[in-house]
Amino acid sequence: MGLLVFLLLITVSLSLSQEVIRFGFTAVVAKEDVRSVDLFLNYLSQKTGYRFVPVFTKSYDEMSYLLSRGMVDVAFICGAPYVEDKDTANFELLVVPLYRGKPIYYSYVITRKEKEYRSILDFKGKPYAFSDPKSNSGSLVPTYILLRNGYRPEEFFNPIVYTYSHSESILAVYYGFVEGASVDSIVFDQVAKNSPQIASQLKVIEAYGPFPSTPIVVRSQIDEDVKYALRKVLVGMSRDPAGREILSRFALDGFTVVDDSFYNPIRDMIAVIRNATLVSKDGEAYR
Amino acid sequence: MERLIAKALSLSIGTKLTLTFIALIAMTSIPLSFVVIQFSEKVFYENVVKSLRDTIVSEELQIRYYIINRDYWSLFKLVRGLVDKTAVREAVVVDGNGKVLAHSDPQRYPIGSSYGGKVDIDYPIKGFRTSIGSVKLVLDEESIWAEFAPVKLFLMFSALPFTLISLVLGLFISYRIRSRLFRITASIEQIRKGDLSNLNRVEFREKDELQEFADFLFSTIKALKNYYENIDYAQKFYMNLLNTINEIVFVTDEEGRIFYANDNVRSIGYKLNDLLGLKIDSLVRYNTKEEKTNKYREVLILGKHREIPALMGEVIYENWRIVTLIDISDRKAMEEELRRREAMSILGEMSANFAHELKNAMLPLKLLSSVDSFSEEDVRVIRNSLMKMDRLVNMFLNFARPVPVEKTKFSLTSIVEDILSLIERKAKEKGVKLIKDVDDVEVVSSRELIEIILVNLLSNAVDAVDGGGEVGVRVRVREDTLKIEVWDTGRGIPKEDLDRIFEPFYTTKDSGSGLGLSIVMKNVYLLKGSIQVNSEEGKGTIFKVSIPIQGVQGGKHTPDRG
């Protein structure tokens, strides 16, 4: 009996002394690379003294929901869900990644090398891959472009294939399942670097942007000390060799802190799409 | 075809066994392999189909979700996963209208295109009530069979090791049977060569029919061996028995051809092998005088080096004639010896008598030799003595001189007539009646010796009778014997004298020389005959002489040439 009480006390004291922070990941970065995620979280744990647990979701909608319910504390999401859900799901910007030294990226239109498509507008009536319905580069940007050209994407493409992952969109093009795809430029560059045999069969025919990078957001209710500690470690990663090594696995150069207004271009696009009386695809995305 | 069957049947047991084994294995394993292959192929194919269906079934919930949500990419990953299996060439998911949602070859069948054509597996995905789509698979049979090929190869050749084992087994068993049969034949071969002592039981490790057969042969041969030994013993026993007796024994067939003779044939200078197949008649000369009906008859064996007198007996046994010959040359020699001794004793007695007579005759000379002068009476006595001595010596010489026996043909009547005419005068003087009874035949014998016998016997008979008596002569020829009987009705011979009457110089008469009956006896012996005397005092005497003769010439019915 005494032993049981002793073990219970130890467990409780340990759980109290080391606060668990749940870190969410979506298709923004290559979630397949769980090893990289582990290294990243271990690094954070080392630097902050907190214990980190990864939480993966398929879609941004799921992640927003988990954040709103306090089931995820920190998350790597996209600019579009940040803009759309930050008030309803109650989270805020922590840091933004630096790609090639800048907190910006592009939305690429890719196709197979031998295909003769020159623009996203050439894919009329063809199967075309979007990543997450809420992704900026993989959904919002091509929708915006098509709307601007007078097309509704769900009618323009036959059909839109949602892969919920930029890297899967790249594979869908590679296998010829879709004729083209809109993907995150950072992910594409990463695939080009890690899997040249795939990238060599593909080509980028258009690049839209630049757009503000996919941010790391934090639940608003979380302790300010935690926010501070995390922001400090993340921003300082690029100055630390171990940190740099982990950053390079994500093809990033570091993290920086930006103001909420940095995401205004995305806000503008969302406003345009809403005004175009877009029939929500959210229903589909949420199922 | 028949020749082929005959040839196949004549193959060695081993070859037949081996071929049977192989044929059996081939007959069972080849169809079996075929059936197993067919069955395995079917099972393998069905398993492939089933495992693919199972894969689809296990993912059915997901697939339903993907279809409802039009999650093309997940469906694509699914069909790609399916075609990654070697058995599947094409995989496609279509919606309820048959439009492609995801095809493993998207360039050929993009999303929304119609999918037709034959499929091997069509698995419908059901919604609440109706089918909302289906998963269709086209199988790559080539790759299925390619996957199955090693199994098929193994099954096809699975009979091979059994065939090989059966071959080896067949060869081994056949070798074993052959060697065992050889051992049996080898043991019998030894016996066949006559080496019965080496009869050994052949024993195998296998206690099977071959062992039974070997045992059967062994017991049979053993029984035969005992039987043979008994026969052999009996044969030796009887052979020895036959060889211990004195007779020469021949066994001939009905025609008299010799096929067996005992060891005694060596005594006549032959071996059995020399005589086999010869006729017994060529080996003996029969005495024609003897009756064939006699059980024994005297024959001459024509031996290799000499002729041997023998008694021949004959017994018919079934189809055989058993002929025995007893050598009687010893007996003949003994008879000869006896006769010679008799003659010698006669001579001895004669000499003693002769010496006695001579001494008596010399007595006057001996007495007178002491006298100075001889008277006339003395001279007459000396002369008489000398004359008596001279006569004695001459008689002796005449008796002792060998008389050549010359045989001629003569008439019995004439010879009796001649003799009777010599004594007729003397008989008339005494008033004795002569009675003659003679067979009128011609015989071959010594006329001279028979004349001497007749003269002496008849003159003795006449001397023995007084006036009014009778003297008779009867001469008969009975077969090969001449029988002469001379009888008288005279005084007879006293019993005490009967034994001595044939001694030379023994006489009861005053005037007799004492040599008459000796000469008769001598002549009878010279003619190989015999003489017998019956006498009764006061009644008379009869002499019976038997003389063997060769052949009778003529008879009473033939013209009398005497």
Side-chain angles (χ1 to χ4, degrees), chain B residues 92-107:
Chain B
V92 62
V93 181
V94 296
D95 63 14
N97 298 319
K99 301 288 182 195
V100 172
L101 295 174
H103 191 283
S104 55
D105 185 0
Q107 290 295 298

Side-chain angles (χ1 to χ4, degrees), chain A residues 58 115 127 158-163 168 171-172 175-177 179 284 287, chain B residues 65 69-74 76-77 80 101-103 106-107 110-112:
Chain A
K58 183 181 175 180
K115 308 268 181 182
N158 184 25
I160 299 165
V161 173
Y162 292 97
T163 67
E168 300 239 344
L171 282 174
Y175 288 128
F177 186 60
E179 294 293 293
E284 249 184 60
R287 183 175 50 91
Chain B
Y65 171 79
N69 289 306
R70 290 294 185 264
D71 189 346
Y72 303 104
W73 179 240
S74 291
F76 179 70
K77 283 195 281 186
R80 275 198 57 80
L101 295 174
H103 191 283
Q107 290 295 298
I111 298 163

Side-chain angles (χ1 to χ4, degrees), chain A residues 3-262:
Chain A
L3 185 72
L4 205 69
V5 172
F6 176 73
L7 286 173
L8 197 70
L9 283 172
I10 283 181
T11 317
V12 169
S13 64
L14 278 173
S15 62
L16 285 175
S17 69
Q18 208 173 15
E19 198 172 342
V20 173
I21 295 171
R22 281 154 295 195
F23 207 121
F25 296 91
T26 67
V28 179
V29 289
K31 74 179 173 192
E32 298 85 353
D33 199 348
V34 178
R35 172 81 185 133
S36 302
V37 169
D38 267 353
L39 287 170
F40 177 63
L41 294 184
N42 281 345
Y43 178 82
L44 291 182
S45 189
Q46 257 180 5
K47 294 293 180 186
T48 61
Y50 299 120
R51 201 157 70 85
F52 289 88
V53 173
V55 176
F56 297 102
T57 65
K58 183 181 175 180
S59 66
Y60 293 126
D61 277 340
E62 286 174 73
M63 192 59 79
S64 296
Y65 173 74
L66 293 179
L67 280 165
S68 73
R69 299 296 301 267
M71 292 160 84
V72 166
D73 301 310
V74 190
F76 219 137
I77 59 169
C78 183
Y82 165 70
V83 170
E84 281 193 89
D85 297 335
K86 85 175 184 66
D87 294 330
T88 52
N90 205 11
F91 54 78
E92 56 189 59
L93 273 174
L94 188 65
V95 288
V96 288
L98 294 168
Y99 180 66
R100 290 180 182 160
K102 293 171 185 169
I104 53 166
Y105 77 118
Y106 297 86
S107 171
Y108 284 166
V109 176
I110 59 165
T111 187
R112 278 192 69 90
K113 209 163 77 180
E114 71 275 8
K115 308 268 181 182
E116 292 186 350
Y117 304 104
R118 296 182 176 280
S119 156
I120 191 169
L121 297 174
D122 293 339
F123 292 100
K124 189 175 192 300
K126 304 289 181 191
Y128 192 85
F130 281 12
S131 53
D132 191 296
K134 278 206 166 170
S135 166
N136 177 48
S137 58
S139 180
L140 206 61
V141 173
T143 304
Y144 176 75
I145 302 295
L146 286 176
L147 282 171
R148 287 285 296 272
N149 285 283
Y151 300 111
R152 294 164 69 91
E154 61 271 26
E155 291 166 359
F156 185 78
F157 300 119
N158 184 25
I160 299 165
V161 173
Y162 292 97
T163 67
Y164 293 90
S165 162
H166 295 294
S167 49
E168 300 239 344
S169 290
I170 292 166
L171 282 174
V173 175
Y174 173 75
Y175 288 128
F177 186 60
V178 293
E179 294 293 293
S182 287
V183 295
D184 184 321
S185 65
I186 300 172
V187 175
F188 186 81
D189 288 349
Q190 211 177 336
V191 169
K193 186 181 155 200
N194 296 335
S195 311
Q197 78 280 5
I198 290 173
S200 66
Q201 299 297 314
L202 307 173
K203 61 182 178 186
V204 177
I205 55 173
E206 278 182 300
Y208 294 99
F211 299 104
S213 278
T214 57
I216 293 178
V217 297
V218 65
R219 199 156 56 84
S220 301
Q221 280 96 339
I222 205 166
D223 199 288
E224 283 302 318
D225 293 347
V226 176
K227 292 179 192 170
Y228 176 76
L230 277 172
R231 192 174 282 129
K232 189 186 170 198
V233 169
L234 289 167
V235 171
M237 266 185 90
S238 60
R239 292 188 294 273
D240 176 28
R244 267 206 303 280
E245 199 189 314
I246 292 162
L247 285 170
S248 74
R249 297 181 74 102
F250 296 99
L252 298 175
D253 298 323
F255 293 99
T256 189
V257 179
V258 295
D259 193 67
D260 174 61
S261 61
F262 185 66

Side-chain angles (χ1 to χ4, degrees), chain B residues 486-528:
Chain B
V486 176
W487 56 272
D488 65 69
T489 57
R491 297 179 292 273
I493 303 162
K495 258 196 181 135
E496 59 270 23
D497 290 340
L498 261 181
D499 289 343
R500 302 195 65 192
I501 54 171
F502 291 107
E503 285 180 18
F505 303 107
Y506 175 82
T507 182
T508 54
K509 294 183 286 186
D510 300 333
S511 60
S513 68
L515 279 175
L517 282 176
S518 300
I519 289 165
V520 167
M521 194 169 189
K522 182 189 141 195
N523 287 0
V524 168
Y525 279 130
L526 283 173
L527 290 169
K528 298 184 175 173

